[in-house]
Amino acid sequence: MRDNQKWVLSLIIAGNAIASPLSFAASHCQIIYDAGSSGTRLYIYQQQGEDWIAHPGPTAAALADPVRGIRGKSWCDVNAVVNEVVGSLERIKQNGPLDDDGKPQWSAFDWSTQCQLDSARVLATAGMRIAEQSERKKSAKLWKKLKAKLRKEVGDDVMIDTRTLTGYEEGLYAWMSVRQTQPNNRFGIVEMGGASSQVTFHCPDCKAAETIIVNGKPVSIYSYSFLGLGQDEAPKPQALGMTPSCAYGVGLEDDNWTVNSCATDIHIKFAEGIVDPYNVGPNGYGTYNDIPTDKADVVNWVLTGAFQYTSHNDINNCCLSKGECYQEQTACFRAVYLPKYLKVLNVCSSQKVDSSWTYGATLCGATDCLRDSGQLQCRWSEKGCLK
């Protein structure tokens, strides 16, 4: 799980070079695609001084869709999806189409002339973890096609990395992004995604913590990703499941309904630990894990991801009535599930911070922050990480 040494060396040289002023054309860039479960979003990060400025680009189809055969895609669409993803690099050179407010959906950035490109990475998250579980060979073919197409687009001198992130990395990168808002390393995050949820925190006393490098110093970080506990996957029967007691507007049908009516039907923690629906354990797919939050060296906890969109009115709007709610079918379930999940984790926090794991990945790549970590696990596969 190490970054290419040649690429790291080039970034170190680039970092030293900022001691003298850089012209705009001489700045360095990293391309990172967020290959999520709902789409593949392009970001180009441009070095400016000691920071990296994001240039968001178009969103293409989700890589996992043709592999999993979902959202109207089949394996026959794999070449079209690969072409669309790589084609975003050409599309970002021009302003995007206008949105409802009359503004471009993205601002033009010609990476081929405005900076020196050091790396191009397509990094997938939970959607591709699920795809690799069920369709390992097809997933391997997809990654091979994508890497070859990307190589033709960016040239032979650019470091390319196309793969599915480990759960540890996904949580770590979000943590590194949030760190820019924190006074020190003594904080933790709980990130809620669509298919997975990450819990990451400073923990010198955790045996499962890994050593990462932050500002040139070693830091012990624990990070774990529950595959299947994301807010979109959790209500599905193969994950936690959702009973009628958690239905949208259930309170209109049941005068005796309370939050506990739904909460008692959401079974998150067992004697073995917190359920981890889709990751692999000793008995195959589906396992458990205890998060050692009692050992966390944390002054404050930060909530990110879907937690940012929660409101104290969610129960009234989505359970006790049929108000305006996102994804109505599971809206009441989410309103109850997210607070119960935090309670099970023993995390009490009202601080919500936006995070960008792609920004965290850029920071980590530029400093080789994982160089002292151990071998990171692809927990979603019995056969380990795809080569």
Side-chain angles (χ1 to χ4, degrees):
M1 309 310 300
R2 303 291 195 275
D3 290 315
N4 180 283
Q5 291 182 348
K6 181 179 178 181
W7 173 56
V8 172
L9 180 60
S10 71
L11 286 171
I12 293 172
I13 294 171
N16 292 336
I18 63 173
S20 59
L22 284 170
S23 67
F24 186 72
S27 61
H28 288 251
C29 284
Q30 299 183 47
I31 289 170
I32 296 185
Y33 285 89
D34 173 1
S37 56
S38 60
T40 306
R41 180 70 183 273
L42 169 65
Y43 294 89
I44 301 178
Y45 286 91
Q46 181 184 23
Q47 188 179 35
Q48 291 189 5
E50 296 182 356
D51 202 2
W52 294 84
I53 307 302
H55 298 277
T59 298
L63 288 179
D65 286 358
V67 179
R68 297 174 67 187
I70 60 175
R71 278 195 284 266
K73 294 289 193 299
S74 71
W75 182 244
C76 296
D77 297 306
V78 64
N79 289 331
V81 169
V82 166
N83 290 340
E84 182 184 357
V85 169
V86 178
S88 296
L89 288 174
E90 192 62 31
R91 294 177 66 200
I92 198 176
K93 294 178 181 179
Q94 305 292 330
N95 283 338
L98 301 182
D99 59 20
D100 293 339
D101 296 324
K103 298 179 180 179
Q105 293 179 18
W106 65 84
S107 298
F109 182 72
D110 190 346
W111 52 272
S112 63
T113 60
Q114 292 180 262
C115 60
Q116 178 178 320
L117 184 60
D118 294 313
S119 65
R121 291 182 283 172
V122 183
L123 302 176
T125 52
M128 274 304 296
R129 291 179 199 139
I130 296 172
E132 289 180 9
Q133 282 184 336
S134 59
E135 298 287 353
R136 187 175 178 88
K137 289 184 179 179
K138 285 184 178 179
S139 297
K141 289 179 180 178
L142 167 71
W143 286 123
K144 185 176 180 180
K145 287 175 179 286
L146 183 61
K147 189 169 188 177
K149 186 76 175 180
L150 194 58
R151 173 63 70 198
K152 288 183 180 179
E153 183 70 23
V154 301
D156 294 333
D157 297 329
V158 176
M159 191 285 288
I160 290 180
D161 188 14
T162 56
R163 63 183 173 87
T164 301
L165 286 176
T166 63
Y168 185 94
E169 289 171 293
E170 186 175 2
L172 171 64
Y173 295 158
W175 184 91
M176 292 191 72
S177 172
V178 171
R179 189 186 179 280
Q180 307 307 302
T181 69
Q182 304 299 307
N184 52 49
N185 298 325
R186 297 182 64 196
F187 72 97
I189 68 164
V190 183
E191 180 183 33
M192 179 59 64
S196 67
S197 174
Q198 288 67 240
V199 187
T200 306
F201 51 90
H202 183 239
C203 194
D205 294 332
C206 290
K207 292 181 179 180
E210 298 288 350
T211 299
I212 67 164
I213 304 300
V214 179
N215 291 337
K217 297 180 180 179
V219 179
S220 294
I221 298 294
Y222 178 95
S223 181
Y224 192 89
S225 177
F226 289 98
L227 186 57
L229 292 192
Q231 64 172 4
D232 296 337
E233 288 292 327
K236 294 182 179 180
Q238 57 269 40
L240 300 182
M242 188 182 92
T243 66
S245 64
C246 300
Y248 174 59
V250 61
L252 296 175
E253 305 293 333
D254 182 359
D255 293 337
N256 296 318
W257 187 89
T258 65
V259 170
N260 198 48
S261 302
C262 172
T264 55
D265 285 341
I266 302 176
H267 303 291
I268 304 175
K269 189 167 185 178
F270 297 82
E272 300 91 335
I274 296 174
V275 64
D276 191 359
Y278 300 162
N279 276 326
V280 177
N283 299 317
Y285 290 104
T287 186
Y288 303 88
N289 187 47
D290 263 327
I291 303 295
T293 49
D294 58 321
K295 296 181 179 180
D297 181 21
V298 166
V299 174
N300 66 299
W301 286 94
V302 176
L303 308 181
T304 188
F307 285 109
Q308 296 174 86
Y309 308 107
T310 59
S311 166
H312 65 278
N313 292 321
D314 288 345
I315 295 295
N316 286 333
N317 289 339
C318 308
C319 298
L320 295 175
S321 64
K322 290 187 175 182
E324 185 175 345
C325 300
Y326 173 71
Q327 293 183 349
E328 293 178 353
Q329 185 177 359
T330 56
C332 180
F333 175 91
R334 292 195 309 275
V336 178
Y337 165 59
L338 267 64
K340 179 168 183 175
Y341 177 59
L342 292 176
K343 186 176 180 180
V344 166
L345 288 171
N346 197 28
V347 167
C348 182
S349 174
S350 59
Q351 184 182 9
K352 301 174 184 178
V353 174
D354 189 18
S355 67
S356 168
W357 71 257
T358 56
Y359 177 68
T362 300
L363 296 176
C364 185
T367 58
D368 194 17
C369 80
L370 284 165
R371 63 179 178 267
D372 291 339
S373 70
Q375 182 68 34
L376 304 182
Q377 295 178 281
C378 294
R379 300 182 186 275
W380 60 91
S381 176
E382 292 177 317
K383 297 180 179 179
C385 303
L386 281 174
K387 303 300 181 183

